[in-house]
Amino acid sequence: MRVLLAAGTTETALIDGISAAGASPELMAHTPPADAEILEYGRPTAAPVTPVSPSGCPTPAAITRAVREVVGFDATVIDAGLAEPTGAATVDLGVDPGADIREPAAVPDAAAIYDRAHGFGSSLPDDRIVIGETVPGGTTTALAALTALGEPATVSSSLPENPIDRKRRVVDEALSASDLVAGDCEGDPLAAIRAVGDPVQPTVAGIATGAAESGADVTLAGGTQMVAVAALLRHAGVDATLTVATTSFVAESADGLEGTCDRLDCDLTVTDPGFDRREHRAMERYCAGEAKEGVAMGGALSLVPEGRMPAVRDRVETVCSRLGIG
Ligand code: AAM
């Protein structure tokens, strides 16, 4: 079993009020490199910041790392379009940061990324992969991809109040900048990513397909961004067994998640880490609906054996104090 993290960037994250995956827009590009370092080393090393939301909610990488310290799992980070350096070891698939989706092409080489990621996924020796993401702005690009495919699903947010109307306006602009209307890419998911997606999407889709074809069980670790990847795969005709593993925080806030997973023929695993049992600043922020998911958090939590969740919560406190939070 291996946990994979696709870490990338989209300039879409810089649109005002769209993301809380970083304390400020200037710091947002450091979130994925820092998340990779927290997963690998337990704290940022080269990255200049610990990713927090503007209100101080720590990155889900802290939770995924806490699970790793309790359960122990192999982890591999894939550079899926980092815009800033990271001290974490990364697999280089030649992926560039994504453009603002309101540009004509958000991921010009989506098809080539998918092919390289497919090759990497099929080369993995693992019988099971759990693959997650870190890409600030990723729920907006997920909504854009879903809309281009003609999928009615909605998306979550790192903000407690999802700016969904703002996202829909951005998606409308993005589609028209690419001369598309909703549903135009129904049979051509790579065209959807190229026009209005982000570089993490073809990376995850390619790795998941390659690994599944080599016989691995594939868990898409995340919420609505991973639902978008599942939709992209189903529209590409991939019929592999897929599981989406997310957190209770996403499940409680994303309307129709279960129905969407059903329609896409995906199993859905929802894990509640029981953060409401602790009086701790970080865990309270999650219970208030901040961050919710990301950095494979839901997939990592699904690996926690029964009875070990209290140890995970203890470890969240340890990791957070190492990060200077709470
Ligand atoms: C990843 N790193 C994060 C974080 N995420 N650090 C702090 N807070 C988060 N929420 P949105 O579309 O609102 O930006 O949400 C998606 C992002 O939030 C992704 O990067 C996801 O991994 C998570």
Side-chain angles (χ1 to χ4, degrees):
M1 205 283 303
R2 177 176 306 276
V3 173
L4 299 155
L5 176 66
T9 330
T10 166
E11 284 181 15
T12 313
L14 298 175
I15 299 171
D16 200 33
I18 225 133
S19 172
S24 67
E26 306 78 62
L27 292 177
M28 211 90 81
H30 292 291
T31 292
D35 282 344
E37 292 168 2
I38 292 167
L39 176 64
E40 195 141 313
Y41 307 115
R43 61 175 177 79
T45 51
V49 284
T50 290
V52 292
S53 71
S55 68
C57 181
T59 169
I63 320 299
T64 305
R65 172 68 194 192
V67 173
R68 189 175 187 199
E69 291 182 13
V70 171
V71 174
F73 53 72
D74 290 328
T76 298
V77 180
I78 299 97
D79 183 338
L82 293 172
E84 294 290 342
T86 181
T90 58
V91 176
D92 181 2
L93 297 176
V95 185
D96 291 325
D100 187 321
I101 57 174
R102 297 168 303 175
E103 300 287 329
V107 189
D109 54 351
I113 295 170
Y114 177 85
D115 286 344
R116 291 194 292 272
H118 183 279
F120 170 68
S122 62
S123 75
L124 289 169
D126 311 288
D127 56 5
R128 180 173 178 207
I129 66 158
V130 173
I131 183 162
E133 56 63 47
T134 166
V135 51
T139 60
T140 301
T141 46
L143 180 65
L146 287 163
T147 308
L149 293 174
E151 288 287 340
T154 186
V155 293
S156 176
S157 174
S158 56
L159 289 148
E161 287 293 322
N162 191 351
I164 190 73
D165 292 333
R166 188 179 295 236
K167 288 178 184 174
R168 289 209 178 95
R169 281 197 299 276
V170 170
V171 169
D172 286 347
E173 261 186 73
L175 289 172
S176 66
S178 303
D179 281 330
L180 292 171
V181 295
D184 267 359
C185 299
E186 191 188 343
D188 191 353
L190 287 171
I193 299 172
R194 183 177 194 285
V196 296
D198 68 55
V200 167
Q201 293 165 351
T203 306
V204 175
I207 293 172
T209 312
E213 285 171 8
S214 300
D217 280 345
V218 175
T219 297
L220 300 173
T224 50
Q225 290 168 256
M226 286 302 157
V227 168
V229 170
L232 291 161
L233 291 174
R234 294 308 186 217
H235 280 254
V238 174
D239 62 1
T241 304
L242 295 173
T243 301
V244 171
T246 192
T247 64
S248 47
F249 308 113
V250 168
E252 282 158 18
S253 69
D255 286 343
L257 184 67
E258 214 168 306
T260 306
C261 285
D262 260 1
R263 200 158 38 75
L264 295 171
D265 193 20
C266 290
D267 297 326
L268 175 65
T269 303
V270 175
T271 308
D272 178 353
F275 286 175
D276 54 345
R277 297 180 196 188
R278 293 286 165 108
E279 281 177 30
H280 181 272
R281 200 175 120 205
M283 289 185 256
E284 283 169 358
R285 302 285 4 125
Y286 276 83
C287 292
E290 288 189 46
K292 298 186 189 72
E293 168 64 282
V295 199
M297 175 179 164
L301 288 170
S302 76
L303 304 174
V304 178
E306 195 147 343
R308 298 289 284 150
M309 209 56 95
V312 168
R313 294 192 289 269
D314 288 344
R315 193 56 75 133
V316 168
E317 294 195 13
T318 310
V319 172
C320 284
S321 72
R322 200 187 293 145
L323 297 175
I325 295 159

